[in-house]
């Protein structure tokens, strides 16, 4: 794929389309011990030897906690009209329960006011994986009480910021929280217990439902509540019945386990059956499914690459396809009979295949799965080995090509009838990429991790032009 391969006709987007960038608290804020913040599971995990590349952690990250005015100015200068960020739970409610710390909330109030003053619409994610450590010590997401605690926290943040933030996202990618956090253990808290992973999935769903009603009880009716799912595009290696059964198994564990209860009020029967040797699902209590199935105002979809599977047929297991790190424990409970395969094609620095057709497929699937619900791409982007050139600039033509191809796929989905309202590029700037530490750069703004200097890459100028004009530039933007 090359940036010189121009589409025949200009690719333009609807006038009200939302053009944003996304980040999350632990990946950018730093200031982990300031103003009353207590450790989250990611502080503990990243400070545990062997858990992250080079022992990297988010103690300083990119120091956004202190540099947010500069970061907001950068976005405004580029011409973005939206910004998706997350709130650090242990900054506003250090023990995960009880009263809020005002100074913690004040940070987010200042950030939001700065955004609004510059015409950038904030989209607030309540939970991007950083559970207060105290709640993990009490059992974490496998315990029902964590869902109640999450609703209480949601209400606190909703009361504090509901007057100025209209776009709300309860959970980011609950699949990663449940199955990487408690299954394969490559994410915090690093547990490797398949039954606990499924319990966590249910209590994340319950937390989403409870938090959604808590938000609605304290916020103006105009505000919109959504959830961001990293639903997988699961494809079979061959059209054989055995490979199609493998697709069903992984589709249930990646997608149906969340969108089933959230959108349709039920777990897929095939999921319950396939996991019956792992768990009896007795923690799904009467009324839970009704609580989880709250009416939503939008659905967030995060997309990076598709997943290719087949029946294992006794063959040695391939890559686990969790994308976020290697583990000998599977993030797919009850799917020992499924093998994962590398998809063909060009790859990013993460080893993820570049396949924009998957984004189109994902959007069209959810246009069918959730008819009438506006869709947002709440994350999409790529890591490349970006370097500052002798001229002081960072040229990243691969990222521009990636963005152009994926935005063209979004446009095609809109033409095909999907109600896609916006796109948030992952990420605004290079940051702490979880188990990969600072080794993977997803930003459209380069960060020198020694000096913390920010330098917009060519892709930032390119994406800024897209945001300002609502069209993909026909000639490369220098
Ligand atoms: C997503 C996460 C985000 C970042 C990107 C690359 O799964 O939500 O924080 O790690 O992947």
């Amino acid at each position: 794929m090359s940036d010189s391969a121009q589409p025949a006709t200009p690719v333009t987007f609807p006038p009200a389309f939302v053009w944003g960038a996304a980040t999350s608290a632990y990946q950018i804020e730093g200031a982990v011990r300031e103003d009353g913040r207590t450790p989250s599971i990611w502080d503990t995990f990243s400070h545990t030897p062997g858990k992250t590349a080079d022992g990297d952690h988010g103690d300083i990250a990119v120091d956004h906690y202190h540099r947010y005015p500069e970061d907001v100015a950068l976005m405004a200068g580029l011409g973005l009209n939206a910004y998706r960020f997350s709130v650090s739970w242990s900054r506003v409610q250090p023990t995960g329960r009880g009263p809020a710390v005002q100074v913690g909330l004040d940070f987010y109030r200042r950030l939001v006011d700065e955004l609004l003053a510059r015409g950038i619409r904030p989209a607030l994610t309540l939970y991007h994986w950083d559970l207060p450590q105290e709640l993990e010590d009490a059992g974490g997401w496998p315990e029902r009480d964590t869902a109640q605690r999450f609703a209480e926290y949601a209400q606190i943040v909703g009361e504090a910021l509901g007057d100025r933030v209209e776009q709300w996202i309860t959970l980011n990618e609950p699949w990663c929280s449940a199955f990487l956090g408690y299954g394969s253990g490559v994410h915090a808290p690093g547990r490797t217990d398949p039954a606990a992973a499924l319990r966590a999935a249910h209590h994340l769903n319950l937390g989403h439902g409870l938090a959604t009603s808590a938000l609605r009880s304290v916020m103006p009716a105009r505000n919109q509540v959504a959830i961001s799912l990293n639903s997988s595009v699961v494809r079979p290696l061959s059209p054989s019945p055995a490979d199609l059964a493998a697709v069903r198994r992984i589709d249930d564990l990646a997608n149906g386990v969340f969108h089933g209860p959230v959108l349709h009020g039920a777990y897929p029967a095939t999921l319950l059956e396939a996991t019956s040797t792992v768990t009896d699902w007795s923690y799904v209590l009467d009324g839970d499914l009704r609580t989880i199935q709250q009416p939503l105002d939008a659905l967030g979809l995060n997309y990076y690459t598709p997943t290719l599977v087949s029946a294992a047929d006794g063959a040695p297991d391939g890559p686990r396809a969790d994308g976020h790190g290697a583990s000998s424990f599977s993030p797919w409970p009850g799917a020992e009979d499924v093998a994962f395969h590398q998809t063909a094609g060009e790859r990013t620095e993460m080893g993820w295949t570049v396949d924009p057709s998957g984004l189109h497929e994902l959007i069209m699937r959810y246009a069918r799965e959730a008819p009438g619900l506006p869709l947002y791409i709440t994350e999409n982007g790529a890591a490349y080995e970006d370097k500052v050139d002798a001229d002081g600039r960072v040229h990243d033509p691969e990222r521009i090509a990636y963005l152009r191809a994926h935005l063209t796929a979004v446009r095609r989905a809109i033409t095909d009838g999907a109600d896609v309202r916006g796109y948030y590029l992952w990420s605004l700037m290079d940051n702490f990429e979880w188990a990969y530490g600072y080794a993977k750069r997803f930003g459209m703004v380069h960060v020198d991790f020694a000096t913390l200097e920010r330098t917009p890459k060519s892709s930032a100028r390119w994406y800024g032009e897209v945001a300002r004009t609502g069209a993909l530039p026909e000639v490369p933007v220098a």
Side-chain angles (χ1 to χ4, degrees):
M1 193 168 40
S2 128
D3 192 43
S4 57
Q6 299 296 330
T9 47
V11 179
T12 57
F13 285 77
F17 202 77
V18 169
W19 295 105
T23 63
S24 89
Y26 190 70
Q27 294 180 274
I28 63 165
E29 283 181 4
V32 294
R33 282 175 280 275
E34 273 176 59
D35 295 334
R37 182 186 179 281
T38 59
S40 75
I41 54 176
W42 267 99
D43 294 87
T44 310
F45 186 78
S46 61
H47 281 276
T48 306
K51 296 298 185 192
T52 63
D54 290 331
D56 285 349
H57 50 69
D59 284 10
I60 297 173
V62 297
D63 195 34
H64 173 75
Y65 190 72
H66 300 112
R67 294 171 196 242
Y68 73 90
E70 181 190 344
D71 294 337
V72 174
L74 255 171
M75 283 187 267
L78 292 172
L80 306 196
N81 60 32
Y83 175 52
R84 172 176 179 238
F85 64 95
S86 81
V87 172
S88 154
W89 187 343
S90 66
R91 203 181 279 296
V92 308
Q93 207 187 17
T95 62
R97 56 185 88 235
V101 167
Q102 282 310 318
V103 66
L105 286 169
D106 286 344
F107 165 68
Y108 297 103
R109 222 178 255 127
R110 287 197 305 274
L111 168 64
V112 165
D113 287 348
E114 191 84 17
L115 290 164
L116 293 172
R118 289 174 175 272
I120 300 173
R121 137 181 158 162
L124 184 157
T125 304
L126 283 165
Y127 186 73
H128 199 124
W129 307 351
D130 45 359
L131 188 72
Q133 182 61 42
E134 279 211 26
L135 292 186
E136 174 58 23
D137 294 344
W141 284 110
E143 291 307 316
R144 192 176 177 86
D145 185 57
T146 304
Q148 296 289 351
R149 301 281 67 77
F150 181 59
E152 186 181 297
Y153 155 69
Q155 180 160 338
I156 288 172
V157 184
E159 263 162 3
L161 299 173
D163 61 340
R164 58 197 83 188
V165 176
E166 293 187 11
Q167 312 297 321
W168 291 72
I169 294 162
T170 54
L171 302 173
N172 176 70
E173 302 191 358
W175 185 85
C176 293
S177 303
F179 296 104
L180 302 184
Y182 296 92
S184 68
V186 301
H187 277 186
R191 282 157 67 178
T192 52
D193 174 349
L198 289 164
R199 288 177 69 102
H202 177 63
H203 295 131
L204 282 152
N205 283 331
L206 186 63
H208 158 76
L210 292 168
T212 301
S213 18
L215 287 174
R216 295 209 196 282
S217 72
V218 294
M219 296 201 311
R222 65 164 189 271
N223 290 0
Q224 299 180 5
V225 182
I227 183 170
S228 283
L229 300 177
N230 57 324
S231 290
S232 299
V233 173
V234 192
R235 294 173 173 165
L237 190 62
S238 83
S240 72
D243 287 1
L244 294 176
V247 168
R248 157 74 30 239
R249 182 86 98 246
I250 298 307
D251 189 66
D252 282 346
L253 282 165
N255 308 330
V257 66
F258 299 107
H259 78 230
V262 168
L263 299 176
H264 309 308
Y267 285 104
T270 43
L271 168 74
L272 301 181
E273 194 192 312
T275 54
S276 61
T277 53
V278 181
T279 185
D280 62 7
W281 294 90
S282 55
Y283 39 87
V284 181
L285 304 187
D286 277 358
D288 281 5
L289 291 164
R290 259 197 316 283
T291 304
I292 296 168
Q293 191 194 13
Q294 295 296 317
L296 292 178
D297 302 297
L299 181 65
L301 299 172
N302 296 357
Y303 173 80
Y304 291 92
T305 193
T307 302
L308 185 63
V309 302
S310 70
D313 282 340
D317 200 5
R320 294 286 185 173
D322 57 30
H324 278 279
S327 165
S328 45
F329 295 91
S330 172
W332 306 105
E336 293 73 22
D337 50 351
V338 174
F340 292 87
H341 305 271
Q342 179 72 52
T343 47
E346 188 193 322
R347 299 192 209 162
T348 69
E349 265 304 289
M350 296 296 280
W352 298 348
T353 306
V354 177
D355 188 344
S357 74
L359 179 55
H360 178 266
E361 192 176 325
L362 179 73
I363 295 170
M364 297 317 292
R365 191 236 177 119
Y366 280 91
R368 287 191 302 273
E369 202 80 60
L373 201 57
L375 304 175
Y376 287 84
I377 305 309
T378 40
E379 284 183 28
N380 175 238
Y384 290 106
E385 212 184 314
D386 307 310
K387 297 218 166 58
V388 183
D389 286 351
D391 63 1
R393 298 182 136 209
V394 183
H395 296 288
D396 58 344
E398 305 93 336
R399 184 171 289 99
I400 294 177
Y402 181 99
L403 295 173
R404 174 191 294 287
H406 285 77
L407 285 169
T408 303
V410 173
R411 185 65 186 92
R412 196 152 63 83
I414 296 172
T415 305
D416 293 346
D419 184 8
V420 188
R421 303 278 179 95
Y423 177 93
Y424 293 85
L425 190 161
W426 185 274
S427 178
L428 171 61
M429 53 195 163
D430 295 336
N431 58 48
F432 174 76
E433 179 47 40
W434 309 113
Y436 292 91
Y438 296 98
K440 306 290 179 201
R441 295 180 175 275
F442 272 94
M444 63 171 161
V445 174
H446 180 274
V447 179
D448 177 325
F449 294 121
T451 63
L452 299 174
E453 188 186 346
R454 277 90 159 127
T455 307
K457 303 175 190 178
S458 330
S459 60
R461 280 183 288 278
W462 184 86
Y463 186 63
E465 177 158 338
V466 175
R468 289 191 306 273
T469 61
L472 306 190
E474 294 200 37
V475 289
V477 177

